[in-house]
Amino acid sequence: YGFSLNGGEGAAKATMVGKALGTALNQFSMDEHDGALRIATTAWADWLCEAMPPPPPKPVPLVPIAEIEPNVILPVPKMDEEVVEDAEIIEPWSGCGQWSPTNQITILSTSSGEVMEEVGHLGGLGKPGESIYAVRFVKEKGFVVTFERTDPFYTLDLSDPENPEIVGELEISGFSNYLHPTEDPDTFLAVGEDADKDGRVIGVQIQIFGVKDFANPELIARYNLENSKNTWSSSAVQMDHRAFRYLPRTRTVIMPAQMSGGRRGESFDGFYAFGIDKDNEDKEERIVLKHRINMAPSEEEIYSRCYSSATLSPRSMVFDGNALLMKNHAAESHDLDAPQDRSFLWRLDMDDPATKTELESKGLLCNYWFL
């Protein structure tokens, strides 16, 4: 839906409506540029056969918006659910009955009146079984990541809304959940998970993608947070982009991560700070770990597995080179210019100062860290 804000005077008013097949991943899946609304979606069409492409959706007319009172909820346009009579039936056990998602970019005109008409469509993103994991639109260009076993990173030309095109594709292991533009338009940072050839997730990774040759995107560098097969890692950045911080002046990345391991000393709950130098001749020096800041009080409390929603969302801010890090039940400050062992400045704990006896009397047997 499109709304008029009336210049800040009076209530907002619905002025236009449009539709697109499938489901958008997040806010980065939609973008408006020069009168064109681009939407990246995955449509989960079940009970199809891998060898049989799904039929194109039958156009459904939209009801133009006339005089609609403020605060009235408009009906969501429905896609056609009619069964295709002439579809070829393939023998069972040959791939039929599996989920077969389709991924596409739909382009709608925001200047076509009350109904945002579809002016362009780009399908065929991803291989059979893959869905969209990350999207980013930058002016006339688009970037999409799909995944099931490997990670196709697509570069898209959206300069002609009526004829969007896939220009390049990079296939690597793992996937990216978040793509972040940098001060260099030819460089993207990505956070996601590495994976083996069977699609089994291995652990959190940060990557640098180069798109200077738009038809041939490249993986410039990759850093895996885990160095042991006995650990499992995750990062809030994969679900919440506000947990990610990139400082273009110093080319520094700050991101939270959590790691649990089967051996003592392998568990971690805190922040990583990386230095980014995509032009370094030494590939090992393009992503350099500057700080690994563990904010958990002790490994035993990480292992308690007693979680609660009463925690701080992972966030980072930087003031004059000092990072303010917030996660779970504490805030810490660290000097990013100091060596790792001398970066700590101060810590503020948010935990209730109740004694263990008081907590047990209330039936609260969890450690403070997750209360």
Side-chain angles (χ1 to χ4, degrees), residues 20-301:
L21 177 69
T23 304
L25 179 67
N26 52 33
Q27 64 266 51
F28 297 113
S29 298
M30 299 178 64
D31 177 83
E32 197 273 341
H33 178 68
D34 284 347
L37 176 64
R38 295 86 64 92
I39 309 173
T41 59
T42 295
W44 296 88
D46 59 334
W47 301 106
L48 293 178
C49 300
E50 292 185 1
M52 180 181 70
K58 184 177 179 181
V60 179
L62 295 174
V63 179
I65 295 178
E67 294 296 326
I68 298 179
E69 295 298 326
N71 303 322
V72 174
I73 299 177
L74 301 176
V76 178
K78 294 183 177 180
M79 307 305 296
D80 184 29
E81 298 178 354
E82 186 177 304
V83 177
V84 179
E85 299 290 345
D86 300 328
E88 178 185 358
I89 303 300
I90 300 178
E91 290 293 328
W93 315 111
S94 63
C96 297
Q98 298 179 355
W99 290 92
S100 300
T102 61
N103 308 296
Q104 52 271 313
I105 304 290
T106 302
I107 302 180
L108 307 176
S109 172
T110 58
S111 57
S112 56
E114 295 179 341
V115 174
M116 289 183 278
E117 300 288 350
E118 180 177 319
V119 295
H121 186 272
L122 176 62
L125 293 170
K127 298 177 176 60
E130 293 182 342
S131 59
I132 292 177
Y133 269 58
V135 185
R136 203 77 192 219
F137 295 106
V138 180
K139 296 182 179 180
E140 298 179 343
K141 297 179 179 180
F143 306 89
V144 174
V145 171
T146 61
F147 177 76
E148 184 189 38
R149 294 183 183 274
T150 55
D151 172 1
F153 172 72
Y154 293 99
T155 55
L156 313 176
D157 181 3
L158 308 175
S159 57
D160 182 359
E162 296 183 3
N163 297 287
E165 294 182 313
I166 298 175
V167 177
E169 176 182 351
L170 173 65
E171 188 171 301
I172 55 178
S173 62
F175 59 85
S176 301
N177 296 101
Y178 176 62
L179 298 174
H180 188 87
T182 69
E183 72 285 354
D184 179 358
D186 297 326
T187 303
F188 276 79
L189 299 173
V191 176
E193 298 267 359
D194 197 2
D196 61 20
K197 62 181 180 180
D198 297 319
R200 183 178 65 88
V201 172
I202 297 175
V204 175
Q205 64 179 0
I206 179 172
Q207 298 171 304
I208 305 176
F209 288 122
V211 295
K212 186 174 183 178
D213 183 351
F214 203 63
N216 297 285
E218 62 174 329
L219 176 63
I220 295 177
R222 176 193 309 218
Y223 187 101
N224 292 323
L225 270 60
E226 295 184 48
N227 54 12
S228 170
K229 295 181 179 180
N230 300 312
T231 57
W232 175 86
S233 61
S234 64
S235 174
V237 177
Q238 297 174 257
M239 297 164 287
D240 181 3
H241 70 279
R242 290 165 294 190
F244 184 86
R245 176 74 62 188
Y246 175 64
L247 308 173
R249 191 172 65 179
T250 58
R251 296 186 176 91
T252 300
V253 165
I254 304 174
M255 57 178 283
Q258 185 167 330
M259 195 174 299
S260 58
R263 301 175 184 174
R264 180 170 293 276
E266 291 182 335
S267 296
F268 173 87
D269 194 359
F271 285 83
Y272 282 76
F274 296 99
I276 304 297
D277 184 3
K278 71 178 183 67
D279 297 320
N280 198 308
E281 294 183 0
D282 186 351
K283 291 185 178 180
E284 300 296 326
E285 297 296 320
R286 292 176 180 174
I287 302 179
V288 178
L289 178 61
K290 286 184 169 183
H291 295 279
R292 186 176 187 266
I293 301 167
N294 196 348
M295 294 180 64
S298 69
E299 190 166 15
E300 287 74 14
E301 290 178 334

